């Protein structure tokens, strides 16, 4: 990505040249629902299917090439998170990976274990744990910050009263896909780990497109994000949507936390000494995993410098919108109203007094090429119960670094 960072600033024209979908009139402000895809990732999928579409592990020439491409993809996925290959598993979605993880916990959790779930999360990091608590008759506690629209932030302080000696698992989001507020996961992890045996499971889907992910620095037990999001774009029949990449997700599990993960794999897959063996269930698409090195290449040799340039550009972007929204008396901005990139990412949700969110979005559709959305975006518990917006939900504008 050396061509898109000049003198420490993002060269947005160069950035946009890497994303062929941006050549259309449509202005993509729905990126929290699925960002556009790098041309190199698109080409990688096509090349894999044309040249190396065989089963992995074979000794013949093309089989070896296919296996090599797949393994390079696994290494890239691990590198992106500062993890090792035996600490990650690839799957079709974050929802599916969390579901698999909950099944693997079903046999290992003690009968008196307690689970704490954030109530402001996407349902992907809620439903699996609600189901586990129901199946095992475990105690489930809800972690709900202040109900004030501007103060919906998870902290170590508002988690602490819920913790007990029986706490086995705490689940939360790094950044809400509605609110955009960044939570201090390292501090939250520190609070969780004061209880011996307690683990932290984090949904990083709304964070990973905007900031560098370092699972070791965060000290998390489990962390997942999608290389895509909710929707799919097709190029000649090939699914290619993503957080700059394909329709797959990755889950990290620390070596210590993996000791509580019962294998879901076949009986003969022993020893089950990697997370992929335990939870993968052969669900990682070969051609999609093979695209992941191209995503890392996009960020260039100095990823920290690139992420810093992205954060600065996104701060300018969200500042323009937030300045406008904050000056209006008839608009409610949910959660963080500051444009500071240390506090939020450019996922901005609001409502307009006296108008339905659906009507506002449809009027924008009718008079412009701006692609924004209305709804609950699978954070339905928060939108219904905390924001009180059961009918049409919020208006969401979600930007990434290729927006201008």
């Amino acid at each position: 990505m050396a061509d898109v960072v000049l003198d420490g600033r993002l060269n947005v024209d160069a950035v946009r040249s890497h994303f062929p979908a941006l050549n259309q009139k449509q202005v993509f402000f729905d990126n929290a629902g699925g960002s556009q895809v790098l041309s190199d990732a698109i080409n990688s999928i096509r090349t894999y299917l044309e040249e190396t579409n065989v089963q992995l592990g074979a000794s013949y020439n093309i089989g070896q090439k296919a296996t090599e491409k797949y393994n390079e993809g696994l290494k890239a996925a691990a590198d992106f998170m500062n993890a090792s290959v035996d600490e990650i598993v690839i799957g079709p979605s974050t929802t599916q990976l969390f579901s698999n993880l909950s099944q693997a916990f079903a046999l290992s959790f003690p009968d008196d274990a307690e689970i704490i779930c954030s109530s402001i999360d996407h349902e992907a990091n809620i439903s699996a744990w609600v189901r586990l608590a129901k199946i095992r008759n475990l105690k489930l506690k809800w972690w709900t910050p202040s109900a004030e629209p501007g103060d919906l932030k998870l902290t170590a302080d508002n988690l602490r009263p819920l913790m007990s000696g029986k706490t086995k698992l705490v689940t939360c989001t790094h950044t809400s896909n509605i609110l955009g507020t960044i939570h201090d996961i390292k501090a939250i992890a520190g609070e969780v780990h004061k209880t011996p045996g307690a683990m932290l499971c984090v949904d990083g889907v709304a964070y990973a497109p905007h900031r560098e992910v370092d699972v070791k620095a965060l000290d998390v037990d489990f962390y997942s994000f999608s290389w895509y999001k909710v929707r799919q774009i097709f190029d000649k029949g090939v699914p290619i949507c993503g957080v700059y990449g394909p329709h797959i997700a990755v889950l990290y599990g620390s070596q210590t936390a993996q000791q509580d993960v019962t294998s879901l794999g076949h009986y003969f897959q022993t020893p089950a000494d990697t997370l992929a063996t335990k939870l993968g269930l052969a669900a990682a698409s070969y051609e999609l995993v093979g695209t992941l090195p191209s995503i890392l290449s996009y960020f260039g040799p100095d990823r920290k410098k690139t992420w810093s340039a992205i954060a600065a550009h996104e701060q300018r972007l969200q500042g323009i919108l937030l300045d406008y929204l904050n000056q209006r008396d008839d608009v409610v901005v949910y959660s963080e109203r500051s444009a500071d990139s240390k506090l939020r990412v450019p996922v901005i949700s609001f409502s307009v007094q006296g108008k339905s969110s659906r009507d506002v979005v449809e009027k924008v559709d009718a008079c412009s090429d701006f692609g924004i959305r209305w709804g609950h975006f699978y954070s339905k518990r928060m939108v219904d119960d905390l924001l009180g917006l059961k009918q049409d939900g919020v208006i969401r504008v979600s930007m990434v670094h290729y927006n201008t």
Side-chain angles (χ1 to χ4, degrees):
M1 196 178 173
D3 62 325
V4 297
V5 178
L6 297 175
D7 299 324
R9 290 176 64 94
L10 216 58
N11 181 342
V12 181
D13 288 338
V15 166
R16 291 174 65 84
S17 71
H18 288 270
F19 296 89
L22 303 184
N23 293 324
Q24 305 170 81
K25 289 180 62 180
Q26 184 75 67
V27 178
F28 295 99
F29 282 160
D30 183 31
N31 295 287
S35 62
Q36 300 312 305
V37 186
L38 289 162
S39 56
D40 286 348
I42 298 170
N43 294 333
S44 173
I45 294 170
R46 183 180 295 109
T47 299
Y48 189 100
L49 293 175
E50 289 177 348
E51 300 178 4
T52 55
N53 190 32
V54 298
Q55 183 58 275
L56 303 183
S59 58
Y60 55 86
N61 182 46
I62 296 301
Q64 290 183 38
K65 289 183 178 179
T67 303
E68 182 180 1
K69 286 187 176 182
Y70 182 82
N71 288 337
E72 288 173 353
L74 293 181
K75 291 177 183 177
D79 186 24
F80 190 85
M81 308 171 74
N82 190 27
S84 60
V85 171
D86 58 357
E87 293 175 319
I88 67 164
V89 56
I90 303 290
S93 67
T94 296
T95 302
Q96 183 65 63
L97 288 172
F98 282 154
S99 181
N100 290 1
L101 182 60
S102 71
Q103 292 181 59
F105 280 156
L107 297 177
S108 64
F109 275 21
D111 293 337
D112 63 348
E114 296 179 355
I115 299 173
I116 300 173
C117 279
S118 155
S119 60
I120 68 170
D121 272 45
H122 186 288
E123 194 66 17
N125 203 20
I126 294 180
S127 60
W129 314 119
V130 172
R131 186 167 59 248
L132 173 60
K134 184 176 181 180
I135 291 172
R136 286 291 314 280
N137 195 29
L138 304 176
K139 186 172 184 178
L140 178 67
K141 297 179 179 178
W142 289 103
W143 179 12
T144 302
S146 168
E148 293 298 319
D151 194 28
L152 288 170
K153 188 169 186 177
L154 303 171
T155 67
D157 288 340
N158 55 38
L159 169 63
R160 190 172 301 116
L162 298 172
M163 297 292 296
S164 79
K166 296 180 180 180
T167 301
K168 187 63 178 175
L169 181 70
V170 177
T171 71
C172 71
T173 181
H174 201 157
T175 298
S176 163
N177 71 321
I178 295 283
L179 307 174
T181 304
I182 299 172
H183 299 124
D184 187 346
I185 294 300
K186 185 175 179 64
I188 290 170
E191 185 63 36
V192 171
H193 293 151
K194 289 178 182 178
T195 299
M199 298 178 290
L200 176 64
C201 179
V202 179
D203 178 350
V205 171
Y207 182 84
H210 306 281
R211 303 290 186 272
E212 185 176 26
V213 175
D214 185 337
V215 291
K216 300 300 172 64
L218 293 171
D219 195 25
V220 293
D221 300 287
F222 297 96
Y223 193 104
S224 185
F225 69 87
S226 300
W227 298 93
Y228 76 106
K229 276 298 291 21
V230 175
R231 60 203 165 98
Q232 288 194 56
I233 303 166
F234 286 84
D235 179 68
K236 297 183 180 178
V238 179
I240 58 169
C241 71
V243 177
Y244 322 127
H247 195 109
I248 49 176
V250 60
L251 170 68
Y252 159 82
S254 72
Q255 297 287 356
T256 300
Q258 286 187 45
Q259 296 175 18
D260 283 302
V261 179
T262 304
S263 179
L264 304 180
H266 300 308
Y267 76 93
F268 54 82
Q269 292 179 307
T270 56
D273 54 0
T274 69
L275 199 62
T277 302
K278 292 180 176 183
L279 300 180
L281 301 178
S285 168
Y286 304 160
E287 65 272 18
L288 302 188
V289 173
T291 68
L292 301 184
S294 66
I295 298 173
L296 262 68
S297 295
Y298 170 72
F299 286 92
D302 189 345
R303 295 210 298 268
K304 289 187 180 299
K305 180 179 179 181
T306 301
W307 282 117
S308 177
I310 286 173
H313 176 70
E314 290 186 345
Q315 178 169 308
R316 290 189 289 271
L317 282 178
Q318 63 192 13
I320 294 169
L321 178 58
L322 285 167
D323 285 349
Y324 171 73
L325 295 175
N326 286 335
Q327 71 179 348
R328 293 190 56 138
D329 295 333
D330 60 342
V331 168
V332 177
V333 176
Y334 296 103
S335 199
E336 184 58 59
R337 300 173 72 92
S338 168
D340 189 339
S341 63
K342 295 183 179 64
L343 302 178
R344 64 144 53 248
V345 300
V347 178
I348 300 167
S349 295
F350 60 96
S351 61
V352 181
Q353 295 174 11
K355 299 182 184 295
S356 79
S357 294
R358 178 174 182 171
D359 286 347
V360 172
V361 170
E362 289 181 348
K363 283 182 171 59
V364 171
D365 292 339
C367 69
S368 76
D369 293 316
F370 295 149
I372 64 176
R373 293 285 294 274
W374 59 272
H376 58 72
F377 306 103
Y378 293 85
S379 294
K380 187 168 174 57
R381 297 174 195 263
M382 175 178 64
V383 171
D384 285 2
D385 301 336
L386 299 182
L387 303 184
L389 302 172
K390 296 183 179 181
Q391 184 62 35
D392 292 334
V394 298
I395 302 160
R396 187 178 73 179
V397 180
S398 51
M399 299 171 283
V400 290
H401 69 282
Y402 55 60
N403 288 124
T404 58

